[in-house]
Amino acid sequence: MASVPGTDPTVVAARFNDSINRRDVEELAKLMSEDHRFIDSETNTVSGKQACLEAWRGFFDSFPDYRNIFTSLTAKDAVVTIVGYSECSEPSLAGPALWTARIQGEKVTEWRVYTDTPEIRARLGVSRTT
């Protein structure tokens, strides 16, 4: 399903990320669809809004200094492809990353993290200069 007319999917994705960076679980809950799905860079999946909120609470407790910095957001229909990097004192969580956000109206139905590799950039249609 496409986005609601007048709703910019990149704005919804940026708001979702701002909530992650602020560790704001209440705002994340407002932005998640009931069937929200989170997929990490290892393809581990958490499904359902409540399960995802619990996962974020645990993540924020474990990594309080984690944050994402986006350098570009590009929407094609209801999918936003994001280029950027993460900062965290845990080295495995810091560095270049790619994300996709599936947006339905003003809700995020899927938030997915990818390792930034040439293969994944090609699959997502992201150029090396982005």
Side-chain angles (χ1 to χ4, degrees):
M1 175 185 260
S3 296
V4 172
T7 301
D8 182 342
T10 62
V11 171
V12 177
R15 285 180 54 211
F16 193 85
N17 187 61
D18 289 344
S19 300
I20 292 169
N21 288 346
R22 289 192 322 271
R23 303 174 58 212
D24 187 341
V25 176
E26 287 182 27
E27 187 63 21
L28 285 171
K30 291 177 189 173
L31 292 167
M32 283 182 190
S33 63
E34 289 300 320
D35 62 347
H36 181 86
R37 184 167 58 164
F38 171 81
I39 305 169
D40 71 15
S41 60
E42 302 292 322
T43 68
N44 297 306
T45 303
V46 179
S47 296
K49 181 177 184 174
Q50 292 308 315
C52 288
L53 292 171
E54 285 305 312
W56 278 116
R57 282 184 188 98
F59 185 84
F60 295 149
D61 287 345
S62 297
F63 308 103
D65 65 340
Y66 178 86
R67 55 183 272 123
N68 300 321
I69 292 80
F70 291 170
T71 57
S72 76
L73 294 91
T74 307
K76 182 172 184 194
D77 299 320
V79 178
V80 180
T81 302
I82 305 154
V83 178
Y85 58 95
S86 297
E87 295 177 336
C88 187
S89 58
E90 169 53 48
S92 66
L93 295 174
L98 303 168
W99 296 262
T100 55
R102 294 189 179 279
I103 310 297
Q104 184 175 345
E106 295 186 1
K107 303 284 186 183
V108 178
T109 62
E110 181 183 280
W111 188 258
R112 185 166 183 168
V113 183
Y114 301 85
T115 302
D116 189 346
T117 67
E119 296 79 18
I120 293 175
R121 278 181 174 259
R123 185 166 34 128
L124 296 177
V126 175
S127 70
R128 291 299 307 155
T129 58
T130 310

